[in-house]
Amino acid sequence: MITRETLRKLPADVLPPPYDVASVTPGIVHFGVGNFFRAHEAYYVNKALGLESRPEWGIIGVGLTSGERSERKAAAYKDQDCLFSLTETAPSGRSEVSINGALLDYLLAPADPKAVLVHLADPAIRIVSMTITEGGYNIDENTEEFRVDAPAVQDDLAHPEKPSTIFGYVVEGLRRRRDAGLGGFTVLSCDNLRHNGNIARKAFLGYAKARDPELAAWIEKNVTFPNGMVDRITPTVSREIAARLNQQSGLDDDLPLVAEDFTQWVVEDNFVAGRPALDKVGVQFVDDVSDYEHVKIRMLNASHIMLSFPGLLLGYQQIDQAVSDPDLSGLLAKFLDTDVIPTLKAPPGVSLEDYKKSVISRFSNPAMADQTLRIASDGSSKVQVFWTETARKLLEGKRDVKYLAFGIAAYLEMLRGKAEDGTTFEPIEPTLKPEDYALVNDADLGAGLKLAAFDGWRHLEHAGLDEAVVATRRTIRDKGVKAAIPS
């Protein structure tokens, strides 16, 4: 393991935190301490702390789940003084290793809920951030409203001072601040959602209104929810990858992390109680992130799943392996050139053609060893978020839908969990029920199109798209994936 003592004798090529870790005080509480958070928000905060004479933006991490795995994770952070190494690797193979000291503590909320609430009520905490996944905001897909009827939410509403959900914790923390005559804080979503700040606002205010309308009104006036666009490929670190990272760095890190050398964060500058000097370490602050969101979601994220679904069917376990297949890389280029770029508005100074080249280059990075199954996971949610706008544009403009139809067909076939060579895999779909899988496996190849993943364009004339999906599924089964890729 590595600890603060390790910082005194780091290997020559490992960069230490650019500040005295012992001098940092907390200013941020973050829910959901995963790899992306560590390689993104914590990465930027770590750099910003080095610019401050009084580094007061350290992060308190919070985990919300209980169980043995969560307890082991919390213990690992505690044992390492919450330090971890980050290896940033370019497609060329060039790497840089640094130690991140921005995370000051890790609290497992079910084990110590009082400690979490104490931090949330502390006036030193001015930002509460989160990475709780695209589906973690408890928004009903049909009504687009916060689901007050969710069992965990009902439990929190019945016992508001003993919360279990992020909504319960944050709102109770704000209630304590209000009652103490303190101000609010910024709620900062770092999840890969379009208009993530607006979604967070809807979720937390939805809970607050159900608990106490007066408290909700206070939150509306004293809390901000900036939208932001986040981007960095951060793969899962297996034991084998961890061992390789430590061998390369010379460290004995129980929590090593690897990420690509590319990173981007575009945020609305709407922080009610201040923020670190993130603008000086590469974060872009803008009035409106919408165009940046559209480019990232409709090009990078959409391409990621367009590659992973057929990649799994072809037996590719890693994204770099899949994109090295000229048929699949050609598919991505055609999808972007034909379906996406002509219907997409570029932000000022952004070349969509250059962005396309960057996407394909980033996917080719073998050091990421990013798993196709990980990228394809929760495909039902990702299809809705990443493909819906493109589908609408194509259908409204009566444009050719063959590339999108192929992607949908590959997704439905992927849900059957079997590659062309006969090997099997287990699709990771937390929102799908047994009846959904029954639709996927129905003899009627159009039955799978009833899945909620495709609700986003159901109000449009989509018969032609449906027919193309069915025909493509039949080709995949009869002749194989590559025979189904449109020219």
Side-chain angles (χ1 to χ4, degrees):
M1 71 181 68
I2 60 174
T3 64
R4 291 189 178 184
E5 184 66 25
T6 309
L7 298 178
R8 299 183 180 183
K9 48 181 186 289
L10 289 174
D13 293 334
V14 176
L15 299 174
Y19 47 86
D20 176 10
V21 173
S23 69
V24 181
T25 56
I28 302 171
V29 170
H30 182 85
F31 287 86
V33 180
N35 285 355
F36 181 76
F37 154 76
R38 294 195 290 149
H40 200 264
E41 179 184 336
Y43 163 84
Y44 284 107
V45 171
N46 185 62
K47 292 170 75 71
L49 287 171
L51 303 177
E52 300 182 15
S53 58
R54 294 175 56 199
E56 54 187 13
W57 290 101
I59 305 170
I60 304 297
V62 179
L64 286 169
T65 59
S66 58
E68 183 179 348
R69 181 179 178 184
S70 297
E71 291 169 2
R72 286 200 308 268
K73 178 178 177 179
Y77 278 104
K78 295 282 191 181
D79 290 344
Q80 291 208 160
D81 296 330
C82 292
L83 299 171
F84 60 88
S85 63
L86 169 63
T87 298
E88 301 172 78
T89 304
S92 66
R94 181 187 58 81
S95 293
E96 181 177 274
V97 183
S98 60
I99 302 294
N100 191 305
L103 191 65
L104 304 184
D105 199 1
Y106 184 90
L107 303 176
L108 194 58
D112 196 355
K114 291 182 179 179
V116 177
L117 290 170
V118 165
H119 278 296
L120 291 171
D122 185 342
I125 298 301
R126 287 163 285 169
I127 296 174
V128 174
S129 56
M130 65 211 66
T131 41
I132 54 175
T133 77
E134 294 93 335
Y137 291 81
N138 195 44
I139 300 295
D140 188 286
E141 294 173 358
N142 296 315
T143 65
E144 297 185 350
E145 297 298 329
F146 182 73
R147 291 185 55 239
V148 176
D149 61 343
V153 171
Q154 285 292 306
D155 286 345
D156 278 7
L157 290 173
H159 310 284
E161 296 184 3
K162 297 179 179 179
S164 65
T165 70
I166 185 173
F167 315 107
Y169 271 107
V170 170
V171 171
E172 172 60 15
L174 288 167
R175 194 276 301 172
R176 295 183 181 195
R177 294 171 80 104
R178 181 199 64 177
D179 291 357
L182 301 173
F185 44 60
T186 297
V187 173
L188 180 63
S189 170
C190 298
D191 281 300
N192 191 30
L193 286 165
R194 190 177 299 177
H195 309 313
N196 55 10
N198 295 348
I199 292 173
R201 186 178 190 275
K202 179 178 291 187
F204 287 98
L205 285 178
Y207 175 87
K209 289 173 182 176
R211 176 181 167 175
D212 178 354
E214 290 185 2
L215 175 59
W218 183 87
I219 292 172
E220 282 193 272
K221 294 179 180 179
N222 293 274
V223 176
T224 53
F225 301 84
N227 289 306
M229 187 279 285
V230 298
D231 190 6
R232 191 170 217 184
I233 296 174
T234 312
T236 300
V237 177
S238 65
R239 290 182 180 179
E240 293 75 19
I241 293 174
R244 174 173 56 80
L245 292 172
N246 282 332
Q247 183 180 23
Q248 292 171 348
S249 68
L251 297 168
D252 183 22
D253 186 0
D254 291 338
L255 298 165
L257 181 67
V258 64
E260 62 176 336
D261 62 336
F262 177 94
T263 181
Q264 187 179 24
W265 196 4
V266 185
V267 195
E268 293 174 348
D269 201 356
N270 186 22
F271 290 72
V272 72
R275 59 168 174 79
L278 298 172
D279 53 313
K280 297 181 180 178
V281 294
V283 179
Q284 297 170 259
F285 285 95
V286 299
D287 293 331
D288 186 354
V289 303
S290 298
D291 290 342
Y292 295 91
E293 289 176 331
H294 292 161
V295 169
K296 193 253 181 168
I297 287 172
R298 292 186 57 198
M299 293 187 72
L300 184 133
N301 296 126
S303 294
H304 232 167
I305 57 174
M306 181 66 78
L307 184 65
S308 65
F309 298 152
L312 278 172
L313 294 175
L314 289 167
Y316 294 121
Q317 296 184 3
Q318 294 178 191
I319 288 294
D320 61 291
Q321 296 168 345
V323 81
S324 68
D325 184 320
D327 293 317
L328 293 185
S329 61
L331 167 70
L332 287 191
K334 292 171 184 174
F335 169 66
L336 292 171
D337 286 339
T338 305
D339 291 2
V340 180
I341 291 176
T343 63
L344 184 60
K345 178 185 176 184
V350 174
S351 163
L352 298 183
E353 179 63 25
D354 289 346
Y355 193 90
K356 178 190 75 172
K357 294 175 182 176
S358 170
V359 165
I360 295 175
S361 173
R362 291 168 64 190
F363 290 171
S364 71
N365 191 337
M368 295 302 95
D370 208 356
Q371 302 87 357
T372 47
L373 187 59
R374 183 186 81 86
I375 298 301
S377 67
D378 196 15
S380 179
S381 298
K382 290 177 178 177
V383 164
Q384 291 183 71
V385 176
F386 304 153
W387 284 354
T388 291
E389 188 66 20
T390 295
R392 288 174 176 168
K393 295 289 186 182
L394 295 177
L395 294 173
E396 288 169 350
K398 302 188 185 305
R399 302 171 69 95
D400 196 331
V401 295
K402 60 185 178 182
Y403 300 114
L404 181 64
F406 172 82
I408 295 170
Y411 169 60
L412 292 171
E413 290 300 298
M414 182 277 297
L415 290 177
R416 300 173 71 212
K418 187 175 182 179
E420 282 189 350
D421 61 5
T423 59
T424 59
F425 53 87
E426 189 70 33
I428 304 169
E429 291 284 347
T431 66
L432 294 190
K433 300 178 176 61
E435 52 266 34
D436 295 317
Y437 283 103
L439 291 172
V440 169
N441 291 291
D442 196 290
D444 176 5
L445 298 186
L449 291 167
K450 297 176 182 177
L451 295 183
F454 315 120
D455 283 350
W457 56 86
R458 218 175 287 283
H459 62 291
L460 300 172
E461 174 52 52
H462 55 86
L465 175 59
D466 292 358
E467 291 171 5
V469 170
V470 170
T472 305
R473 291 189 73 184
R474 188 171 294 113
T475 301
I476 290 174
R477 294 192 186 187
D478 294 345
K479 299 180 181 179
V481 172
K482 293 203 172 186
I485 296 177
S487 58

